[in-house]
């Protein structure tokens, strides 16, 4: 740890606050990188629905078969995410949030660019989907370490009284990334014929990732680690017996990991039903064309972006638990409202149905970084948050559009999917009720309680001692 960083840690530690100008810089850096990475991840989701089923897989005579195959490759990215969360969580707890985030953005960018270069099934046979799966795995592996680092970089810089608001901004960057992916595909699909879009137009969106990766990487080089992380890092370096990372968080805070998983469960399922399965439903059942569907998603993503920080404010004023419970309850209600709206075939009502879904989703999504960061001490926070959130994605978001599409094929109905979401929301609501209300809690108090509980030195005192003797 450098002298300047120790000095910054000591200054911030004395005041207990990070200057707001510095906080806004951290928020901007976290958001830009997150926009880049989620642009690439959601680009795959949209392309899987619109392109990959036809381009990378053999024709069977049923449009849903290709989409189901594409969603299976989509799920590979989710399977890789927990592995990335474990690896990068360990790196992030040991070396820092900043270098980890710089590495993940480069890996995701490279994998996404190469996807745009792949041959189709007609040119390469089964090698085409095999290469797609390999790149998807790499993409998911890197993204598994991205989310935890991005939200923690902000959460650990934020004031106690407004942590949910500030840490909701990286969450708001997710719909922006999705918005950009949808916008690029919308422009290409409206400017090109169906044949040209399917043949080469979709590739442009993947190639553009190389440009925006450079922007995101550059901005992330100009942020600093949070003082509380530097104190925890000094503690680990000074006291060699102190452990950190995945193994430690599973031994000492298994309840926190399972609570993080439960919080993520319904939220993750609902999001991918709204942004992926709804497209499948409208395209295959009501025969909406690609540009109409993408335009509906564009409008919904804009509203989602605007709503998330405001819900973050509510989590700071009302508390974490009541806001999250509102999301779980309304999430269970949404499909019974939305699918009848979709069946009207009225464009305005369809957009409203999608938008309502993302607004309800925001009540679960906005407060997640604050709640999860308050479940773990700093020395193992990156690992705990990444593990809890990314493991869930294997059996939540990755499978949700796949299950829903299969049920639609088998039953020609949205009702099984609605029941599935209701069950998920009940599970998440039950987990929320097990949480302690942590609105306004100090992360240093959490670290001090961890130190007292496990007989460790207080992190801030260790950081000061290291700084005095360096």
């Amino acid at each position: 740890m450098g002298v300047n960083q120790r000095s910054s840690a000591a200054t911030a530690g004395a005041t207990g606050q990070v200057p707001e100008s510095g906080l806004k810089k951290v928020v901007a850096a976290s958001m830009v990188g997150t926009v880049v990475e989620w642009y690439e991840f959601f680009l795959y989701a949209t392309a899987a629905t619109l392109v990959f089923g036809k381009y990378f897989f053999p024709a069977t005579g049923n449009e849903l078969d290709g989409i189901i195959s594409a969603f299976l490759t989509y799920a590979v990215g989710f399977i890789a995410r927990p592995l990335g969360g474990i690896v990068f969580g360990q790196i992030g707890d040991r070396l820092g949030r900043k270098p980890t985030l710089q590495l993940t953005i480069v890996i995701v960018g490279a994998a996404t660019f190469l996807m745009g270069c792949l041959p189709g099934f007609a040119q390469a046979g089964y090698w085409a989907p095999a290469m797609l799966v390999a790149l998807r795995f790499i993409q998911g592996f890197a993204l598994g370490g991205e989310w935890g680092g991005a939200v923690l970089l902000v959460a650990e810089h934020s004031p106690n009284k407004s942590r949910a608001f500030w840490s909701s901004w990286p969450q708001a960057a997710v719909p922006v990334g999705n918005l950009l992916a949808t916008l690029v595909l919308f422009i290409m699909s409206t400017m090109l014929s169906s044949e040209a879009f399917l043949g080469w137009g979709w590739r442009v969106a993947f190639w553009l990732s190389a440009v925006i990766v450079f922007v995101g990487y550059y901005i992330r080089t100009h942020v600093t680690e949070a003082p509380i992380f530097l104190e925890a890092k000094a503690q680990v370096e000074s006291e060699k017996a102190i452990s950190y990372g995945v193994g430690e968080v599973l031994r000492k805070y298994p309840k926190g990991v399972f609570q993080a998983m439960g919080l993520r469960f319904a939220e993750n399922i609902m999001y991918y039903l709204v942004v992926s399965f709804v497209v499948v439903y409208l395209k295959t059942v009501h025969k909406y064309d690609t540009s109409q569907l993408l335009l509906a998603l564009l409008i919904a993503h804009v509203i989602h972006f605007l709503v998330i920080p405001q819900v973050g404010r509510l989590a700071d004023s009302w508390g974490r638990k009541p806001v999250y419970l509102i999301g779980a309850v309304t999430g269970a209600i949404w499909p019974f409202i939305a699918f009848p709206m979709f069946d009207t075939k009225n464009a305005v009502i369809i957009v409203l149905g999608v938008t309502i879904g993302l607004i309800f989703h925001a009540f679960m999504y906005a407060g997640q970084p604050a709640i999860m960061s308050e479940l773990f001490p700093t020395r193992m926070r990156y690992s705990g948050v990444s593990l809890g959130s990314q493991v869930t994605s294997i059996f939540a978001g990755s499978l949700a559009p796949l299950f829903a599409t299969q049920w639609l094929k088998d039953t020609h109905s949205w009702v099984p999917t609605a029941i599935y979401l209701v069950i998920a929301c009940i599970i998440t609501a039950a987990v929320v009720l097990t949480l302690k209300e942590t609105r306004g809690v100090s992360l240093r108090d959490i670290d001090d309680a961890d130190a007292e509980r496990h007989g460790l030195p207080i992190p801030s005192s260790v950081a000061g001692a290291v700084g005095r003797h360096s």
Side-chain angles (χ1 to χ4, degrees):
M1 184 167 63
V3 174
N4 290 339
Q5 286 186 315
R6 292 189 192 108
S7 177
S8 299
T11 302
T15 63
Q17 298 290 326
V18 176
E20 187 167 312
S21 59
L23 178 56
K24 289 180 178 179
K25 183 178 179 181
V26 170
V27 170
S30 179
M31 285 188 68
V32 170
T34 302
V35 166
V36 171
E37 300 210 16
W38 285 97
Y39 162 84
E40 294 160 352
F41 201 76
F42 285 124
L43 181 63
Y44 190 104
T46 306
T49 303
L50 301 176
V51 178
F52 288 175
K54 299 176 181 178
Y55 191 77
F56 286 102
F57 299 94
T60 64
N62 188 328
E63 183 181 8
L64 288 176
D65 287 335
I67 295 174
I68 290 170
S69 296
F71 276 145
L72 283 171
T73 69
Y74 182 59
V76 169
F78 287 86
I79 294 171
R81 281 166 66 171
L83 180 59
I86 291 171
V87 172
F88 290 113
Q90 194 84 2
I91 295 172
D93 280 333
R94 180 66 183 90
L95 300 180
R97 285 56 167 139
K98 175 180 173 179
T100 308
L101 291 174
Q102 289 173 314
L103 178 59
T104 57
I105 197 173
V106 171
I107 295 174
V108 173
T112 307
F113 179 83
L114 290 174
M115 285 178 185
C117 303
L118 292 178
F121 187 85
Q123 294 79 38
Y126 286 100
W127 279 109
M131 289 185 286
L132 182 66
V133 167
L135 290 174
R136 176 62 175 172
F137 185 90
I138 294 170
Q139 189 188 55
F141 175 77
L143 189 61
E146 154 66 23
W147 182 81
V151 299
L152 290 185
L153 194 65
V154 177
E156 292 177 344
H157 277 89
S158 300
N160 300 330
K161 65 180 181 179
S162 55
R163 183 175 299 114
F165 169 71
W166 287 109
S167 62
S168 71
W169 281 101
Q171 301 289 74
V174 173
V176 175
N178 206 344
L179 173 68
L180 291 177
T182 306
L183 179 62
V184 171
L185 288 173
F186 173 72
I187 292 172
M188 299 305 297
S189 67
T190 53
M191 292 179 59
L192 301 174
S193 66
S194 297
E195 293 76 16
F197 177 73
L198 186 61
W200 62 269
W202 63 272
R203 297 180 184 274
V204 175
F206 284 79
W207 291 336
L208 284 175
S209 66
V211 178
I212 54 180
V213 160
F214 283 118
V215 175
Y217 181 86
Y218 174 77
I219 291 177
R220 282 187 169 174
T221 62
H222 290 77
V223 297
T224 57
E225 300 286 3
I228 193 170
F229 168 75
L230 297 175
E231 293 169 5
K233 182 181 179 182
Q235 182 195 44
V236 172
E237 291 174 346
S238 175
E239 304 290 329
K240 300 302 182 183
I242 295 177
S243 298
Y244 61 92
V246 174
E248 182 74 349
V249 79
L250 288 174
R251 285 192 297 270
K252 300 294 176 60
Y253 291 89
K255 181 181 178 181
V257 172
F258 284 112
Q259 286 175 321
M261 292 172 66
L263 290 171
R264 183 83 161 138
F265 188 60
E267 173 272 310
N268 201 226
I269 288 174
M270 182 173 182
Y271 189 77
Y272 286 99
L273 290 179
V274 176
V275 302
S276 293
F277 175 66
V278 166
V279 174
V280 174
Y281 184 81
L282 291 172
K283 189 172 178 62
T284 59
V285 174
H286 296 308
K287 307 303 179 185
Y288 270 77
D289 66 36
T290 299
S291 59
Q292 287 178 312
L293 294 174
L294 293 175
L295 180 60
L297 285 175
L298 280 173
I299 296 169
H301 290 321
V302 171
I303 302 301
H304 198 208
F305 167 74
L306 296 174
V307 167
I308 288 173
Q310 304 314 314
V311 177
R313 286 187 188 276
L314 293 180
D316 283 321
S317 59
W318 294 359
R320 312 319 193 205
K321 293 176 66 173
V323 170
Y324 217 103
L325 284 172
I326 289 173
V329 172
T330 56
I333 295 170
W334 172 77
F336 300 98
I337 300 172
F339 283 95
M341 296 174 73
F342 300 149
D343 291 339
T344 66
K345 303 181 183 180
N346 182 293
V348 175
I349 294 177
I350 287 172
V351 172
L352 185 61
V354 176
T355 303
I356 290 172
L358 291 182
I359 291 173
F360 289 171
H361 169 265
F363 277 82
M364 290 186 281
Y365 196 55
Q368 254 183 33
I371 298 173
M372 291 189 185
S373 67
E374 292 157 1
L375 288 174
F376 307 101
T378 306
R379 66 190 174 100
M380 61 185 78
R381 183 172 292 126
Y382 201 145
S383 295
V385 167
S386 295
L387 189 63
S389 63
Q390 301 307 331
V391 167
T392 313
S393 65
I394 295 179
F395 51 88
S398 71
L399 297 177
L402 178 63
F403 285 164
T405 304
Q406 186 66 55
W407 291 329
L408 180 64
K409 177 185 175 183
D410 294 341
T411 68
H412 307 287
S413 173
W414 53 264
V415 174
T417 298
I419 295 172
Y420 171 56
L421 182 56
V422 169
I423 294 171
C425 287
I426 291 172
I427 292 171
T428 289
V431 171
V432 172
L433 294 175
T434 70
L435 295 171
K436 295 180 180 178
E437 179 56 63
T438 52
R439 176 186 58 179
V441 71
S442 167
L443 296 184
R444 280 195 172 82
D445 288 346
I446 294 173
D447 287 354
D448 291 349
D450 171 66
E452 182 177 354
R453 177 182 174 187
H454 298 106
L456 306 174
I458 301 298
S460 57
S461 63
V462 174
V466 172
R468 288 191 298 272
H469 293 93
S470 60

